[in-house]
Amino acid sequence: MRSLLLAAVALGALAQPATAEPDYAAAIRADYDKSLAAMWDDFHRHPELSFKEERTAAKMAAALRAIPGVQVTEKVGGTGVVGVLKNGTGPVVLVRADMDGLPVEEKSGLANASTVRQVGVDGVEAPVMHACGHDTHIVGLVATARRLAAMKDRWAGTIVFVVQPAEERVGGAAAMVKDGLYTRFPKPDYALAYHSNSEGLAGTVSASEDIQYSSSDSVDIVVPGVGAHGASPQAGKDPVYMASQLVIALQGLVSRERQPLRPAVITVGSFHAGLKHNIISDQAKLQVTVRANDEATRAQLLAGIRRVARGIGELNGMPADKLPVVTVIEGTPTTVNDAALARRLNAVMATTLGADKVIPFQQKGMGAEDFAAFIEPKYGIKGYYFAVGGTQQAAFDAAAKGGPPIPSHHSPLFKVDPQAVVTTGATAMTAAVLDLLKPGGVPPSPRT
């Protein structure tokens, strides 16, 4: 009899899920079905470019104001929104979501695909698309804020909800900090954020205990020339030819000057010159993105670009006042998670979602994030950034059998499962905040 009882107990244990789902996960799913799905649909149909997110910001401010206890301030760092929720004495946690779209024409095939066009801060009109999932991020922030406001009996402290502009231009976070994010509002002990990941399986999360994203610098290069007839190149100085030499020469900085075990990328994303077949123009313009995983390599690449550009001009006989001009217009350092905090919250994720849902982090590209501006070492704020899988297994299976490949971020074909990203992201974020603000918890130690 005792052996049968033990066997029954064992079978009962096996029948139980490895991780008991928290009650707020079901509430978040119900909230998605009730209102958040419609909110995502609206944001996806109406994306806005960096620092031009006025409609998005207004709607996010209204959504946060509708949550009891959240005090909202608009126009922080341009179009940024800050919502503060206080609940007694305890640490301060910043929860951030970015809201800008990209100058991409959507070809995802979704029923709610964007048809929006907008003039950006650069004065150029372009189609606009949420081609990086920021629409799921802001909806996930609303979901998180609603849950935490309804669960004040489970935490103590202050939460600062940040709706950030211009992540795609890696300038919005710095703009908010410059506009007093840490002086006008409670300064956080911890800063948290997440990003959708089209290459990740829906329902999973992943976070590094070290570097999460590379640095990024946007570099403009103007290559002056001397205009002439296309049939008489000797009468001018061809900027297309010089800029083409430069495009090739820049790759030598990565292949021949960089230490091979230090990742780096230089990509020329835009090359513009001339207006007609038979006219040698007087100028060419390049737009370049530069990526690195450490500050020494980053500085080496930027200095090298200036040197090589100048050298190309001199090689082609250009005078000193007409050498190529290199301008770094925006940039962000690497995003590095606090190691101890990452270990702690990765364990929380495993407990909340299930150990099989926490995927070991692996850097597969050199994407960047200006979340780094919130956690610069000089602020003493511990940072944790994680990725949330956004593609269902069926899509991976189809791709493996020769079907459509999984679209990358920034692609006109980009799409993630919004319900999966919003509900998983909000559940994980809620769990992280509850752990950091649990009553009677250990106060944060200064960052070293």
Side-chain angles (χ1 to χ4, degrees):
M1 185 68 168
R2 182 173 182 274
S3 61
L4 289 173
L5 179 61
L6 289 174
V9 170
L11 287 172
L14 289 173
Q16 296 299 314
T19 299
E21 180 182 81
D23 55 353
Y24 51 82
I28 289 170
R29 288 197 299 273
D31 195 10
Y32 186 88
D33 294 338
K34 181 179 179 181
S35 66
L36 296 175
M39 181 182 293
W40 171 79
D41 178 82
D42 179 66
F43 283 137
H44 192 81
R45 292 177 188 270
H46 301 95
E48 295 177 292
L49 294 172
S50 302
F51 287 124
K52 305 283 283 187
E53 314 95 336
E54 295 180 2
R55 179 185 186 275
T56 306
K59 285 186 169 290
M60 285 298 295
L64 289 174
R65 281 198 180 97
I67 300 172
V70 179
Q71 300 297 312
V72 176
T73 303
E74 298 180 66
K75 301 185 184 304
V76 181
T79 53
V81 178
V82 177
V84 178
L85 179 60
K86 296 183 178 181
N87 187 34
T89 302
V92 179
V93 177
L94 181 152
V95 176
R96 172 272 209 170
D98 40 11
M99 61 174 163
D100 53 331
L102 283 156
V104 174
E105 182 180 359
E106 183 162 5
K107 300 177 182 178
S108 66
L110 295 174
N112 63 348
S114 168
T115 58
V116 169
R117 295 183 66 87
Q118 188 180 28
V119 177
V121 294
D122 55 3
V124 177
E125 181 180 301
V128 190
M129 174 190 176
H130 269 302
C132 207
H134 294 187
D135 47 351
T136 64
H137 303 170
I138 51 179
V139 175
L141 183 137
V142 173
T144 302
R146 288 176 177 177
R147 279 306 94 215
L148 289 167
M151 299 166 62
K152 283 189 172 182
D153 58 324
R154 303 193 197 183
W155 61 273
T158 299
I159 308 170
V160 181
F161 298 103
V162 171
V163 185
Q164 183 207 306
E167 186 279 329
E168 297 295 357
R169 294 188 67 95
V170 293
M176 294 190 79
V177 173
K178 185 177 180 180
D179 197 22
L181 181 63
Y182 294 158
T183 56
R184 296 165 55 191
F185 308 97
K187 183 181 176 184
D189 299 293
Y190 307 101
L192 312 179
Y194 68 80
H195 203 294
S196 62
N197 177 18
S198 66
E199 296 183 357
L201 179 64
T204 66
V205 298
S206 180
S208 173
E209 295 180 8
D210 189 15
I211 184 170
Q212 185 83 14
Y213 290 106
S214 303
S215 68
S216 174
D217 291 284
S218 296
V219 180
D220 287 352
I221 305 177
V222 177
V223 182
V226 177
H229 195 294
S232 302
Q234 78 284 355
K237 292 289 186 182
D238 188 349
V240 173
Y241 174 66
M242 287 186 280
S244 297
Q245 289 180 304
L246 180 55
V247 170
I248 301 301
L250 290 178
Q251 299 310 313
L253 296 173
V254 174
S255 67
R256 286 296 175 267
E257 296 191 16
R258 172 192 56 99
Q259 207 275 356
L261 298 181
R262 293 178 179 269
V265 166
I266 296 177
T267 294
V268 179
S270 174
F271 188 139
H272 290 278
L275 295 171
K276 192 68 177 72
H277 305 71
N278 61 349
I279 300 173
I280 292 176
S281 65
D282 60 2
Q283 181 177 268
K285 293 182 178 180
L286 305 179
Q287 292 181 315
V288 184
T289 188
V290 182
R291 308 297 172 109
N293 274 7
D294 64 89
E295 287 301 301
T297 301
R298 182 187 182 196
Q300 179 188 23
L301 295 176
L302 294 175
I305 290 171
R306 293 186 175 92
R307 171 173 53 82
V308 170
R310 183 175 63 250
I312 291 294
E314 292 173 343
L315 175 67
N316 285 277
M318 296 298 290
D321 63 342
K322 284 198 172 185
L323 296 178
V325 177
V326 176
T327 305
V328 180
I329 63 167
E330 56 201 10
T332 184
T334 55
T335 296
V336 180
N337 283 343
D338 180 88
L341 179 62
R343 286 192 293 271
R344 172 180 174 178
L345 294 185
N346 281 348
V348 170
M349 300 297 166
T351 300
T352 303
L353 302 175
D356 62 325
K357 301 298 185 183
V358 181
I359 308 302
F361 177 80
Q362 181 181 7
Q363 189 181 24
K364 296 181 179 180
M366 299 198 74
E369 244 294 348
D370 73 342
F371 180 74
F374 292 129
I375 56 171
E376 289 188 49
K378 64 183 178 182
Y379 300 131
I381 298 168
K382 298 176 184 291
Y384 178 72
Y385 197 109
F386 60 100
V388 178
T391 300
Q392 295 292 344
Q393 184 62 53
F396 288 112
D397 293 342
K401 295 177 181 178
I406 305 301
S408 70
H409 290 251
H410 294 210
S411 162
L413 305 176
F414 173 83
K415 55 185 175 183
V416 290
D417 182 331
Q419 182 179 25
V421 175
V422 170
T423 58
T424 302
T427 299
M429 184 65 80
T430 300
V433 175
L434 289 175
D435 186 76
L436 295 175
L437 296 184
K438 56 190 173 186
V442 179
S445 59
R447 179 174 177 172
T448 56

